[in-house]
Amino acid sequence: MKTKVGIIGGGPSGLMLSQLLDLKGIDNIVLEKHSREYVLGRIRAGVLEHGFAELMREANCGERMDAEGEIHEGFYIAEGGEKRRVDLAGHTGGNSVVVYGQTELTRDLYDARAKMNGNVIHNVEDVQLHDLKSDAPYITYRSGDDIIRIDCDYVIGADGFHGVSRKSIPKDVLREYEKVYPFGWLGVLSRTKPVSPELIYAKSERGFALCSLRSQVLSRYYIQVPLTDSVEDWSDEAFWDELKARLPQDVADQLETGPSIEKSIAPLRSFVAEPMRYGNLFLAGDAAHIVPPTGARGLNSAASDIYYLYHAMVDHYQNGDDTGLEKYSEKALARVWKAQRFSWWMTTLLHTFPDSIPYDQKLQQTDMEYLFSSEAALTSLAENYVGLPF
Ligand code: FAD
Ligand code: DHB
């Protein structure tokens, strides 16, 4: 097979790029390791910054998001029995975020690809990248007993943190920066009315908790847990009890509980791989960088990579201009590091660190007091949360 752009990974990054390129007549193929059902079964992001939402619209995939997604102009930070609102719109000249699940937006992208007869190949095995430094790179994968070869101009590594693309860059070229946090998030999805119309990020001595939602009948809650915990350690009842214990009493009293319909633990990690280009391979999204979920930046960082790559590809194929491709890694990394800084800061502000010394705890407390005493600090939080410009 032959195509212009070979995209590895059918998550939001790969599908979004595929859709945008196809709309500009740039031929591409997406290779996904798992089935569509498997990809749609993963419960992940819930908060989209406006830049991501705009990209969905540009990809002709914004209709359901605009109809069913909720615009949020603020959220709460709770601590010590009270909750204080962060006015996103008021501190950013009217900007907001969209609450719309990653599952739904991935479904919309799959549907859009199918409508355009996009080439998305599922259940590919043993994907390998070849001759990335040459003008004729190619990808191979196994389908049953057959080895299939795809020749392309460019390879996009959009295959997430555990994918094969980043690992195809020689070790002496790739520089990896990593910080692993000593806890994870236990998440529960339940068919219950959300406890609050806006998200609540709760700091408590027992650990962090987050009250989020997918719709007015579907709630998503998280609690910080030690890395040694597993899902089996947490019955639904134990989860609800612990969540309530970390929330202000009036919020806990209103919490509607019910059976979990999904329960999973995600470890928290900060990670960046540099450079994001090697020859004719370009990394995008979680394949190149991971943030702890606290600031809701992961998917949104992927969106800026896709935005830069999409425009660079269009400039290359339609205008013969390679500046965007040449500058991709530098440009993408500049924004990636800002998302890293913000996610690290919000994680540090809100979590309980098992190894923290009294000095750290004093600083954490001071950080919180400063935040709510300074319009400048609130503006900084708000402009990062709604998303810095691409
Ligand atoms: P992925 O979604 O990981 O997709 C990569 C795809 O590549 C997968 O489908 C995988 O099956 C496929 N693949 C892997 N290896 C191969 C291979 N060898 N060959 C072919 N295909 C392969 N972000 C936000 O912005 N806001 C939030 O509110 C938010 N909340 C989150 C909450 C949780 C609990 C978690 C875990 C994450 C959250 N994130 C959030 C982060 C967000 O989910 C990720 O950043 C996003 O999924 C990245 O998309 P991606 O397409 O780059 O990677
Ligand atoms: C969700 C996840 C996050 O990481 C976050 O900061 C906000 C919301 C969610 O899954 O709903």
Side-chain angles (χ1 to χ4, degrees), residues 286-328:
D286 278 18
H289 41 79
I290 297 281
V291 284
T294 325
R297 292 301 81 205
L299 187 54
N300 294 308
S301 293
S304 57
D305 295 350
I306 298 307
Y307 177 88
Y308 297 136
L309 262 183
Y310 160 55
H311 287 283
M313 291 285 169
V314 171
D315 280 348
H316 169 80
Y317 284 109
Q318 294 189 349
N319 312 321
D321 178 357
D322 281 355
T323 320
L325 290 177
E326 279 152 18
K327 291 255 179 257
Y328 169 69

Short mmCIF file of all heavy atoms in Angstrom, two decimals, residues 286-328:
data_model
loop_
_atom_site.label_atom_id
_atom_site.label_comp_id
_atom_site.label_asym_id
_atom_site.label_seq_id
_atom_site.Cartn_x
_atom_site.Cartn_y
_atom_site.Cartn_z
N ASP A 286 0.17 11.79 23.48
CA ASP A 286 0.76 11.03 24.59
C ASP A 286 2.00 10.23 24.17
O ASP A 286 2.76 9.80 25.03
CB ASP A 286 -0.28 10.05 25.17
CG ASP A 286 -1.23 10.72 26.18
OD1 ASP A 286 -1.30 11.96 26.17
OD2 ASP A 286 -1.89 10.00 26.95
N ALA A 287 2.21 10.02 22.89
CA ALA A 287 3.42 9.32 22.43
C ALA A 287 4.66 10.13 22.80
O ALA A 287 5.74 9.58 23.01
CB ALA A 287 3.37 9.11 20.92
N ALA A 288 4.50 11.46 22.91
CA ALA A 288 5.66 12.33 23.18
C ALA A 288 5.64 12.92 24.57
O ALA A 288 6.69 13.30 25.09
CB ALA A 288 5.70 13.46 22.15
N HIS A 289 4.45 13.04 25.17
CA HIS A 289 4.40 13.70 26.48
C HIS A 289 3.16 13.28 27.27
O HIS A 289 2.10 13.04 26.71
CB HIS A 289 4.41 15.23 26.32
CG HIS A 289 3.54 15.72 25.19
ND1 HIS A 289 2.19 15.83 25.30
CD2 HIS A 289 3.84 16.10 23.93
CE1 HIS A 289 1.70 16.26 24.17
NE2 HIS A 289 2.67 16.43 23.30
N ILE A 290 3.35 13.21 28.58
CA ILE A 290 2.28 12.82 29.50
C ILE A 290 2.24 13.86 30.62
O ILE A 290 3.28 14.33 31.06
CB ILE A 290 2.61 11.44 30.16
CG1 ILE A 290 2.70 10.34 29.12
CG2 ILE A 290 1.62 11.08 31.25
CD1 ILE A 290 1.38 9.81 28.65
N VAL A 291 1.04 14.18 31.07
CA VAL A 291 0.93 15.04 32.26
C VAL A 291 0.08 14.32 33.30
O VAL A 291 -0.78 13.51 32.94
CB VAL A 291 0.27 16.40 31.94
CG1 VAL A 291 1.23 17.34 31.24
CG2 VAL A 291 -1.02 16.23 31.15
N PRO A 292 0.27 14.62 34.59
CA PRO A 292 -0.70 14.12 35.56
C PRO A 292 -2.04 14.78 35.24
O PRO A 292 -2.07 15.92 34.78
CB PRO A 292 -0.13 14.59 36.91
CG PRO A 292 0.82 15.70 36.59
CD PRO A 292 1.31 15.47 35.20
N PRO A 293 -3.17 14.07 35.43
CA PRO A 293 -4.44 14.59 34.91
C PRO A 293 -4.99 15.83 35.61
O PRO A 293 -5.97 16.42 35.14
CB PRO A 293 -5.39 13.40 35.08
CG PRO A 293 -4.77 12.51 36.10
CD PRO A 293 -3.30 12.73 36.02
N THR A 294 -4.39 16.25 36.71
CA THR A 294 -4.97 17.31 37.55
C THR A 294 -5.41 18.56 36.79
O THR A 294 -6.47 19.10 37.06
CB THR A 294 -3.98 17.71 38.67
OG1 THR A 294 -3.27 16.55 39.09
CG2 THR A 294 -4.71 18.34 39.83
N GLY A 295 -4.61 19.03 35.86
CA GLY A 295 -4.97 20.28 35.17
C GLY A 295 -5.77 20.06 33.91
O GLY A 295 -6.03 21.02 33.17
N ALA A 296 -6.18 18.81 33.64
CA ALA A 296 -6.95 18.46 32.43
C ALA A 296 -6.22 18.91 31.15
O ALA A 296 -6.83 19.47 30.24
CB ALA A 296 -8.35 19.07 32.51
N ARG A 297 -4.92 18.67 31.10
CA ARG A 297 -4.12 19.17 29.97
C ARG A 297 -3.76 18.12 28.93
O ARG A 297 -3.30 18.45 27.84
CB ARG A 297 -2.77 19.74 30.46
CG ARG A 297 -2.74 21.00 31.26
CD ARG A 297 -3.31 22.21 30.62
NE ARG A 297 -4.75 22.18 30.74
CZ ARG A 297 -5.59 22.80 29.93
NH1 ARG A 297 -5.13 23.50 28.93
NH2 ARG A 297 -6.89 22.74 30.09
N GLY A 298 -3.88 16.80 29.24
CA GLY A 298 -3.32 15.76 28.38
C GLY A 298 -3.83 15.81 26.95
O GLY A 298 -3.07 16.01 25.99
N LEU A 299 -5.11 15.67 26.82
CA LEU A 299 -5.73 15.68 25.50
C LEU A 299 -5.55 17.04 24.84
O LEU A 299 -5.39 17.15 23.63
CB LEU A 299 -7.21 15.35 25.68
CG LEU A 299 -8.05 15.13 24.44
CD1 LEU A 299 -7.43 14.08 23.55
CD2 LEU A 299 -9.44 14.69 24.85
N ASN A 300 -5.57 18.05 25.68
CA ASN A 300 -5.45 19.41 25.15
C ASN A 300 -4.05 19.69 24.63
O ASN A 300 -3.87 20.44 23.67
CB ASN A 300 -5.89 20.40 26.22
CG ASN A 300 -7.38 20.25 26.52
OD1 ASN A 300 -8.18 20.29 25.61
ND2 ASN A 300 -7.74 20.05 27.78
N SER A 301 -3.03 19.07 25.22
CA SER A 301 -1.67 19.20 24.69
C SER A 301 -1.56 18.46 23.36
O SER A 301 -0.86 18.90 22.45
CB SER A 301 -0.64 18.60 25.64
OG SER A 301 -0.57 19.34 26.81
N ALA A 302 -2.26 17.34 23.27
CA ALA A 302 -2.27 16.60 22.00
C ALA A 302 -2.87 17.48 20.91
O ALA A 302 -2.40 17.48 19.76
CB ALA A 302 -3.08 15.32 22.15
N ALA A 303 -3.89 18.25 21.27
CA ALA A 303 -4.58 19.07 20.27
C ALA A 303 -3.64 20.10 19.65
O ALA A 303 -3.69 20.33 18.43
CB ALA A 303 -5.77 19.78 20.91
N SER A 304 -2.75 20.69 20.46
CA SER A 304 -1.87 21.70 19.86
C SER A 304 -0.85 21.04 18.94
O SER A 304 -0.53 21.57 17.88
CB SER A 304 -1.20 22.58 20.92
OG SER A 304 -0.47 21.82 21.85
N ASP A 305 -0.37 19.82 19.31
CA ASP A 305 0.53 19.10 18.39
C ASP A 305 -0.16 18.89 17.04
O ASP A 305 0.43 19.11 15.98
CB ASP A 305 0.87 17.69 18.92
CG ASP A 305 1.66 17.71 20.22
OD1 ASP A 305 2.11 18.79 20.63
OD2 ASP A 305 1.81 16.62 20.81
N ILE A 306 -1.42 18.45 17.11
CA ILE A 306 -2.15 18.14 15.87
C ILE A 306 -2.37 19.41 15.05
O ILE A 306 -2.23 19.41 13.83
CB ILE A 306 -3.51 17.45 16.21
CG1 ILE A 306 -3.25 16.12 16.92
CG2 ILE A 306 -4.36 17.25 14.97
CD1 ILE A 306 -2.32 15.16 16.22
N TYR A 307 -2.66 20.49 15.74
CA TYR A 307 -2.86 21.77 15.06
C TYR A 307 -1.59 22.17 14.28
O TYR A 307 -1.64 22.52 13.11
CB TYR A 307 -3.22 22.83 16.10
CG TYR A 307 -3.39 24.22 15.56
CD1 TYR A 307 -4.62 24.66 15.08
CD2 TYR A 307 -2.32 25.10 15.54
CE1 TYR A 307 -4.77 25.94 14.58
CE2 TYR A 307 -2.45 26.39 15.04
CZ TYR A 307 -3.69 26.80 14.57
OH TYR A 307 -3.83 28.07 14.07
N TYR A 308 -0.43 22.08 14.97
CA TYR A 308 0.82 22.46 14.30
C TYR A 308 1.14 21.52 13.14
O TYR A 308 1.57 21.94 12.06
CB TYR A 308 2.00 22.45 15.29
CG TYR A 308 1.89 23.44 16.42
CD1 TYR A 308 2.21 23.07 17.73
CD2 TYR A 308 1.49 24.76 16.21
CE1 TYR A 308 2.12 23.96 18.79
CE2 TYR A 308 1.39 25.66 17.26
CZ TYR A 308 1.71 25.25 18.55
OH TYR A 308 1.62 26.14 19.59
N LEU A 309 0.95 20.21 13.37
CA LEU A 309 1.27 19.22 12.33
C LEU A 309 0.37 19.38 11.12
O LEU A 309 0.83 19.30 9.97
CB LEU A 309 1.07 17.80 12.89
CG LEU A 309 2.29 17.05 13.40
CD1 LEU A 309 1.90 15.66 13.84
CD2 LEU A 309 3.38 16.97 12.34
N TYR A 310 -0.90 19.57 11.39
CA TYR A 310 -1.89 19.72 10.32
C TYR A 310 -1.51 20.91 9.42
O TYR A 310 -1.42 20.79 8.20
CB TYR A 310 -3.27 19.90 10.96
CG TYR A 310 -4.34 20.52 10.11
CD1 TYR A 310 -4.68 19.97 8.87
CD2 TYR A 310 -5.05 21.63 10.57
CE1 TYR A 310 -5.68 20.54 8.10
CE2 TYR A 310 -6.05 22.19 9.81
CZ TYR A 310 -6.36 21.65 8.58
OH TYR A 310 -7.35 22.22 7.81
N HIS A 311 -1.23 22.07 10.05
CA HIS A 311 -0.88 23.24 9.25
C HIS A 311 0.45 23.05 8.52
O HIS A 311 0.60 23.48 7.38
CB HIS A 311 -0.89 24.50 10.12
CG HIS A 311 -2.29 24.92 10.46
ND1 HIS A 311 -3.11 25.57 9.56
CD2 HIS A 311 -3.04 24.73 11.56
CE1 HIS A 311 -4.30 25.77 10.11
NE2 HIS A 311 -4.27 25.27 11.33
N ALA A 312 1.39 22.36 9.17
CA ALA A 312 2.70 22.11 8.54
C ALA A 312 2.52 21.20 7.32
O ALA A 312 3.14 21.43 6.27
CB ALA A 312 3.64 21.46 9.56
N MET A 313 1.66 20.19 7.43
CA MET A 313 1.43 19.26 6.31
C MET A 313 0.73 19.98 5.16
O MET A 313 1.06 19.78 3.99
CB MET A 313 0.56 18.08 6.78
CG MET A 313 1.24 17.14 7.74
SD MET A 313 2.44 16.11 6.87
CE MET A 313 3.29 15.38 8.25
N VAL A 314 -0.25 20.81 5.49
CA VAL A 314 -0.98 21.55 4.45
C VAL A 314 0.00 22.49 3.73
O VAL A 314 0.02 22.57 2.50
CB VAL A 314 -2.18 22.32 5.05
CG1 VAL A 314 -2.80 23.27 4.03
CG2 VAL A 314 -3.23 21.34 5.55
N ASP A 315 0.85 23.19 4.50
CA ASP A 315 1.84 24.08 3.89
C ASP A 315 2.77 23.30 2.97
O ASP A 315 3.14 23.76 1.89
CB ASP A 315 2.67 24.79 4.97
CG ASP A 315 1.93 25.98 5.56
OD1 ASP A 315 0.90 26.37 4.99
OD2 ASP A 315 2.37 26.49 6.61
N HIS A 316 3.15 22.10 3.40
CA HIS A 316 4.06 21.29 2.60
C HIS A 316 3.39 20.84 1.30
O HIS A 316 3.94 21.04 0.21
CB HIS A 316 4.52 20.06 3.39
CG HIS A 316 5.24 19.05 2.56
ND1 HIS A 316 6.56 19.18 2.19
CD2 HIS A 316 4.80 17.89 1.98
CE1 HIS A 316 6.91 18.14 1.44
NE2 HIS A 316 5.86 17.35 1.29
N TYR A 317 2.20 20.26 1.42
CA TYR A 317 1.57 19.66 0.24
C TYR A 317 0.92 20.69 -0.67
O TYR A 317 0.85 20.51 -1.88
CB TYR A 317 0.54 18.60 0.65
CG TYR A 317 1.20 17.31 1.09
CD1 TYR A 317 1.20 16.91 2.42
CD2 TYR A 317 1.86 16.49 0.17
CE1 TYR A 317 1.83 15.73 2.83
CE2 TYR A 317 2.49 15.32 0.56
CZ TYR A 317 2.46 14.94 1.89
OH TYR A 317 3.10 13.79 2.26
N GLN A 318 0.42 21.80 -0.09
CA GLN A 318 -0.29 22.75 -0.95
C GLN A 318 0.56 23.94 -1.37
O GLN A 318 0.31 24.52 -2.42
CB GLN A 318 -1.56 23.24 -0.24
CG GLN A 318 -2.55 22.08 -0.07
CD GLN A 318 -3.91 22.49 0.43
OE1 GLN A 318 -4.11 23.63 0.86
NE2 GLN A 318 -4.86 21.58 0.37
N ASN A 319 1.55 24.30 -0.54
CA ASN A 319 2.34 25.51 -0.87
C ASN A 319 3.81 25.22 -1.07
O ASN A 319 4.60 26.14 -1.31
CB ASN A 319 2.19 26.57 0.23
CG ASN A 319 0.73 26.80 0.62
OD1 ASN A 319 -0.13 26.80 -0.25
ND2 ASN A 319 0.46 26.95 1.90
N GLY A 320 4.22 23.98 -0.91
CA GLY A 320 5.64 23.62 -1.05
C GLY A 320 6.50 24.28 0.01
O GLY A 320 7.71 24.49 -0.18
N ASP A 321 5.90 24.64 1.14
CA ASP A 321 6.62 25.34 2.21
C ASP A 321 6.87 24.39 3.38
O ASP A 321 5.92 23.91 4.01
CB ASP A 321 5.76 26.55 2.65
CG ASP A 321 6.40 27.33 3.80
OD1 ASP A 321 7.47 26.92 4.29
OD2 ASP A 321 5.80 28.34 4.21
N ASP A 322 8.13 24.12 3.70
CA ASP A 322 8.46 23.14 4.75
C ASP A 322 8.80 23.78 6.10
O ASP A 322 9.24 23.09 7.03
CB ASP A 322 9.66 22.28 4.30
CG ASP A 322 9.20 21.20 3.33
OD1 ASP A 322 7.98 21.09 3.11
OD2 ASP A 322 10.05 20.51 2.77
N THR A 323 8.60 25.09 6.21
CA THR A 323 8.96 25.76 7.47
C THR A 323 8.25 25.13 8.67
O THR A 323 8.85 24.89 9.72
CB THR A 323 8.60 27.27 7.41
OG1 THR A 323 8.90 27.73 6.12
CG2 THR A 323 9.35 28.07 8.44
N GLY A 324 6.98 24.86 8.51
CA GLY A 324 6.18 24.30 9.61
C GLY A 324 6.72 22.95 10.05
O GLY A 324 6.77 22.66 11.25
N LEU A 325 7.09 22.12 9.09
CA LEU A 325 7.62 20.79 9.43
C LEU A 325 8.97 20.95 10.15
O LEU A 325 9.25 20.26 11.13
CB LEU A 325 7.81 19.94 8.16
CG LEU A 325 6.50 19.49 7.48
CD1 LEU A 325 6.80 18.73 6.19
CD2 LEU A 325 5.66 18.61 8.41
N GLU A 326 9.79 21.87 9.64
CA GLU A 326 11.11 22.07 10.25
C GLU A 326 11.01 22.61 11.67
O GLU A 326 11.80 22.29 12.54
CB GLU A 326 11.96 23.00 9.37
CG GLU A 326 12.60 22.24 8.21
CD GLU A 326 12.85 23.13 7.00
OE1 GLU A 326 12.86 24.36 7.15
OE2 GLU A 326 13.02 22.56 5.89
N LYS A 327 10.01 23.46 11.88
CA LYS A 327 9.88 24.10 13.20
C LYS A 327 8.97 23.32 14.15
O LYS A 327 8.75 23.73 15.30
CB LYS A 327 9.29 25.52 13.02
CG LYS A 327 10.20 26.49 12.33
CD LYS A 327 10.78 27.46 13.34
CE LYS A 327 11.72 28.46 12.74
NZ LYS A 327 13.09 28.29 12.89
N TYR A 328 8.39 22.21 13.68
CA TYR A 328 7.36 21.50 14.45
C TYR A 328 7.81 21.17 15.87
O TYR A 328 7.16 21.54 16.86
CB TYR A 328 6.90 20.22 13.72
CG TYR A 328 6.04 19.34 14.61
CD1 TYR A 328 4.77 19.75 14.99
CD2 TYR A 328 6.52 18.13 15.11
CE1 TYR A 328 3.98 18.98 15.84
CE2 TYR A 328 5.74 17.34 15.95
CZ TYR A 328 4.47 17.77 16.31
OH TYR A 328 3.71 17.00 17.15
#
